[in-house]
């Protein structure tokens, strides 16, 4: 009897066919990732070049939902798909609050990263002593940006964005103001120019040569042209494109063909203004307007002609702009656009000499809620094996939703019951809990991804303005700016008060 039981027990494992985790594809993929990490060599110290990518409004929620959409768009499993920047070896979390608010705007968001000091919301290139919409305090609180310091140290500098070039994030490279809305002279209150402040378009173009950008690609042509010329909105009669073209070997491009035709080996500054205002989103962009990856590629080709190295700021702006509208399709499509632009930078640079950082200025109130199967479209209704998973009232619900925004319930209006075809349409706005004409930014920490020299310093949780310290250290800016060969003239001051 005993022998019979023993024989039965011995047979059990074979009969139950226990699983072998070691041959499970998930297990082996994670083991390969571990081996990669174990074989990783610490990155070198000091970089020749720094490329900073900003996904405007790209919180971790946007990265997760964006990767799922990017994978599903390619007919792949979305959840396990990897965006280009998710393959970078080091990552950390950045605390983005401003000097005066729990949740930052884009202006302080980039200013903290580019100057090393958090300021108040809507201000840029100034310290935390400033007060809003106040020219004298802007002049007093002005501090240099990383791009200006790098230019002064002899590096080439550039900015690429899908927004207007005078919008908050690109202005973080060259702008100094207490109010981000002062983009053309028509935006300034009369007391501001009287006190010595100039608009952001003039700050970009009229900056002293020692700190002026070598490459600037984006939109906002209207802010550079006098009113009466097309859509020009300058009241001072200045044609800032003509001012730019007055510089040695300067070039101006206006469309994708012009960008593609640029000889990137020819020296000289290049201004690219591809729309009157913001560039159209990837989902709506005509062939005449270049995409973020094409602009990034050309900017790198131009800047890398400088043997001293370069600093480049690249922004995917429309993630934020479409989140503000609760339109997850377009916002998340722009996450994919950022991924493509980072891929271009990874292919065009050497991790031994170029520090690449990908982060966000702040997050947005997007939520990915549970219930859907892996094969269900992330933009769709919550379904499992095709079955609707309803809310507590028995109504269909969407996988993605927002905390606030224009699709929130307005006083006296009943919210529509969504169907799958409606929610998968490009223009659909995912539901929001609270009605606001524009969705509000969110305040949780944002991810930072990095590779290249000093990228290992971007691990853990840190303040947004710490990112400046890492970039400045990588470029050895302190030592380079103390070099007697670097002319420490009064160029910055001339730039602010308009005395050229
Ligand atoms: Zn925003």
């Amino acid at each position: 009897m005993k022998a019979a039981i023993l024989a039965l027990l011995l047979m059990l494992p074979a009969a139950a066919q226990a699983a072998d985790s070691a041959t499970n594809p998930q297990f082996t993929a994670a083991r390969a990732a571990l081996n990669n990490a174990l074989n990783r060599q610490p990155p070198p110290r000091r970089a020749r070049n720094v490329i900073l990518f900003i996904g405007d409004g790209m919180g971790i929620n946007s990265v997760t939902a964006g990767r799922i959409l990017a994978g599903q768009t390619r007919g792949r499993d979305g959840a396990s798909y990897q965006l280009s920047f998710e393959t970078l070896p080091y990552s950390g979390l950045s605390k983005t609050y401003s000097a005066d608010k729990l949740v930052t705007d884009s202006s302080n968001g980039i200013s903290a990263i580019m100057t090393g000091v958090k300021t108040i919301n809507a201000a840029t290139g100034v310290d935390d002593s400033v007060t809003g919409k106040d020219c004298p305090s802007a002049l007093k609180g002005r501090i240099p940006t990383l791009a200006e310091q790098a230019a002064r140290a002899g590096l080439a500098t550039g900015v690429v964005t899908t927004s207007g070039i005078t919008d908050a994030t690109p202005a973080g490279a060259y702008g100094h103001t207490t109010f981000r809305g002062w983009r053309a002279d028509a935006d300034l209150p009369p007391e501001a120019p009287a006190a010595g402040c100039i608009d952001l378009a003039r700050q970009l173009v009229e900056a002293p040569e020692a700190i002026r950008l070598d490459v600037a690609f984006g939109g906002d042509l209207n802010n550079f042209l006098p009113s009466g010329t097309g859509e020009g909105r300058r009241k001072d009669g200045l044609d800032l494109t003509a001012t730019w073209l007055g510089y040695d070997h300067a070039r101006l491009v206006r469309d994708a063909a012009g960008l593609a035709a640029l000889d990137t080996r020819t020296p000289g500054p290049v201004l690219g203004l591809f729309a009157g205002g913001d560039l159209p989103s990837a989902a709506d962009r005509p062939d005449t307007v270049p995409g973020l990856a094409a602009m990034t590629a050309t900017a790198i080709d131009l800047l890398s002609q400088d043997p001293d190295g370069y600093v480049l700021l690249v922004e995917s702006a429309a993630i934020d702009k479409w989140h503000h509208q609760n339109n997850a399709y377009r916002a998340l499509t722009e996450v994919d656009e950022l991924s493509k632009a980072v891929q271009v930078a990874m292919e065009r640079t050497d991790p031994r000499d170029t520090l690449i950082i990908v982060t966000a200025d702040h997050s947005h109130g997007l939520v990915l809620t549970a219930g859907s199967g892996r094969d269900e479209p992330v933009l769709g209704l919550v379904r499992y094996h095709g079955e609707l998973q309803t809310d507590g009232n028995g109504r269909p619900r969407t996988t993605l939703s927002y905390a606030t925004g224009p699709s929130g319930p307005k006083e006296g209006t009943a919210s529509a019951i969504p169907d799958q075809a409606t929610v998968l349409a490009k223009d659909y706005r995912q539901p929001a809990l609270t009605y606001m004409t524009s969705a509000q930014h969110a305040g949780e920490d944002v991810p930072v991804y990095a590779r290249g020299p000093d990228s290992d310093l971007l691990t853990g949780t840190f303040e947004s303005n710490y990112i400046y310290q890492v970039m400045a250290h990588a470029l050895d800016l302190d030592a380079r700016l103390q070099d007697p060969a670097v002319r420490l003239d009064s160029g910055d001051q001339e730039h602010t008060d308009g005395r050229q």
Side-chain angles (χ1 to χ4, degrees):
M1 189 64 179
K2 265 188 184 171
I5 291 171
L6 190 64
L8 195 64
L9 283 173
L10 284 170
M11 282 170 64
L12 267 178
Q17 287 288 325
D20 181 3
S21 57
T23 60
N24 183 298
Q26 288 179 53
F27 191 92
T28 52
R31 176 62 59 86
L34 171 69
N35 287 333
N36 264 344
L38 289 170
N39 291 328
R40 186 181 297 149
Q41 299 299 313
R45 296 284 167 236
R46 308 300 187 191
R48 195 160 77 101
N49 316 308
V50 171
I51 308 178
L52 171 66
F53 286 92
I54 300 290
D56 201 308
M58 187 180 73
I60 289 182
N61 45 13
S62 291
V63 175
T64 307
R67 91 161 69 98
I68 297 172
L69 179 63
Q72 292 183 339
T73 303
R74 289 162 177 79
R76 308 254 299 270
D77 170 52
S80 59
Y81 185 76
Q82 274 193 310
L83 299 164
S84 66
F85 49 84
E86 294 185 279
T87 67
L88 302 188
Y90 295 98
S91 55
L93 291 168
S94 166
K95 297 159 71 176
T96 61
Y97 65 93
S98 68
D100 66 333
K101 295 265 181 78
L102 288 176
V103 181
T104 189
D105 78 321
S106 291
S107 219
N108 164 71
I110 188 64
S111 188
I113 296 172
M114 289 299 280
T115 67
V117 179
K118 295 187 189 219
T119 183
I120 60 172
N121 278 17
T124 200
V126 290
D127 67 16
D128 52 351
S129 69
V130 300
T131 47
K133 297 192 185 185
D134 179 60
C135 174
S137 82
L139 298 181
K140 197 160 162 283
R142 178 196 171 100
I143 46 177
T145 73
L146 182 87
E148 290 169 338
Q149 292 174 317
R152 203 178 276 294
L155 282 74
T157 57
V159 178
V160 169
T161 181
T162 50
S163 69
I165 197 75
T166 63
D167 203 354
T169 303
Y174 64 85
H176 303 272
T177 181
T178 53
F179 183 57
R180 56 186 281 182
W182 292 349
R183 295 167 65 163
D185 66 316
D187 305 316
L188 279 108
E191 65 273 17
C197 282
I198 59 172
D199 57 271
L200 287 165
R202 270 186 75 192
Q203 290 190 31
L204 189 164
V205 170
E206 296 180 0
E209 190 178 1
I211 57 170
R212 195 185 308 134
L213 294 169
D214 299 289
V215 174
F217 293 159
D220 266 1
L221 178 65
N222 299 347
N223 287 338
F224 292 74
L225 297 178
S227 57
T229 340
E231 301 293 308
R233 53 187 300 271
R234 299 200 65 84
K235 288 182 174 165
D236 54 13
L238 289 177
D239 178 349
L240 295 177
T241 63
T243 309
W244 182 271
L245 286 171
Y247 299 137
D248 275 354
H249 307 293
R251 287 172 285 175
L252 173 72
V253 284
R254 299 273 300 271
D255 55 26
L259 184 77
L262 272 178
D263 180 352
T264 53
R265 287 155 304 175
T266 309
V270 186
L271 178 64
L273 297 172
F274 304 108
D278 295 335
L279 305 195
S281 302
D284 314 305
R285 190 177 60 231
D287 291 344
T288 50
V289 178
L292 190 65
M295 291 193 289
T296 302
T298 306
I300 291 173
D301 291 350
L302 285 163
L303 295 170
S304 56
Q305 300 302 311
D306 190 324
D308 297 317
Y310 61 84
V311 168
L312 173 61
L313 168 64
V314 180
E315 182 202 23
S316 179
I319 301 169
D320 174 74
K321 294 188 193 307
W322 290 106
H323 276 326
H324 277 300
Q325 295 301 311
N326 293 153
N327 183 213
Y329 166 71
R330 284 188 178 80
L332 299 179
T333 303
E334 299 294 332
V335 173
D336 200 1
E337 289 296 291
L338 176 66
S339 175
K340 292 177 201 168
V342 175
Q343 182 67 39
V344 157
M346 289 165 70
E347 289 163 3
R348 272 177 155 71
T349 59
D350 185 336
R352 289 170 300 185
D353 68 15
T354 302
L355 171 62
I356 295 179
I357 301 171
V358 182
T359 187
D361 44 2
H362 56 75
S363 183
H364 254 283
L366 178 77
V367 185
L368 169 64
T369 40
S372 268
R374 284 267 285 269
D375 55 344
E376 292 294 340
V378 68
L379 295 169
L381 296 173
V382 179
R383 301 192 311 183
Y384 189 66
H385 294 321
E387 294 258 325
L388 276 178
Q389 308 290 301
T390 53
D391 67 10
N393 294 313
R395 291 158 51 109
R397 59 192 173 97
T398 53
T399 294
L400 297 176
S401 58
Y402 286 91
T404 64
S407 65
K410 262 171 145 169
E411 206 76 53
T413 58
S415 54
I417 297 174
D419 61 70
Q420 184 78 334
T422 304
V423 304
L424 289 177
K426 285 184 177 184
D427 294 335
Y428 179 68
R429 295 171 195 243
Q430 266 67 22
L433 178 67
T434 304
Y435 172 68
M436 305 281 292
T437 53
S438 174
Q440 300 294 292
H441 296 163
E444 80 273 10
D445 302 350
V446 296
V448 182
Y449 308 89
R451 91 164 190 193
D454 283 342
S455 57
D456 58 331
L457 301 176
L458 290 165
T459 51
T461 297
F462 39 80
E463 298 287 350
S464 55
N465 54 318
Y466 168 75
I467 300 170
Y468 166 88
Q469 295 295 338
V470 174
M471 295 189 292
H473 179 268
L475 295 171
D476 201 12
L477 277 185
D478 282 356
R480 287 163 95 157
L481 290 170
Q482 277 164 16
D483 187 331
V486 174
R487 197 165 52 93
L488 290 167
D489 62 15
S490 60
D492 288 348
Q493 196 52 44
E494 288 167 28
H495 170 74
T496 306
D497 62 18
R499 286 182 288 111
Q500 294 287 329

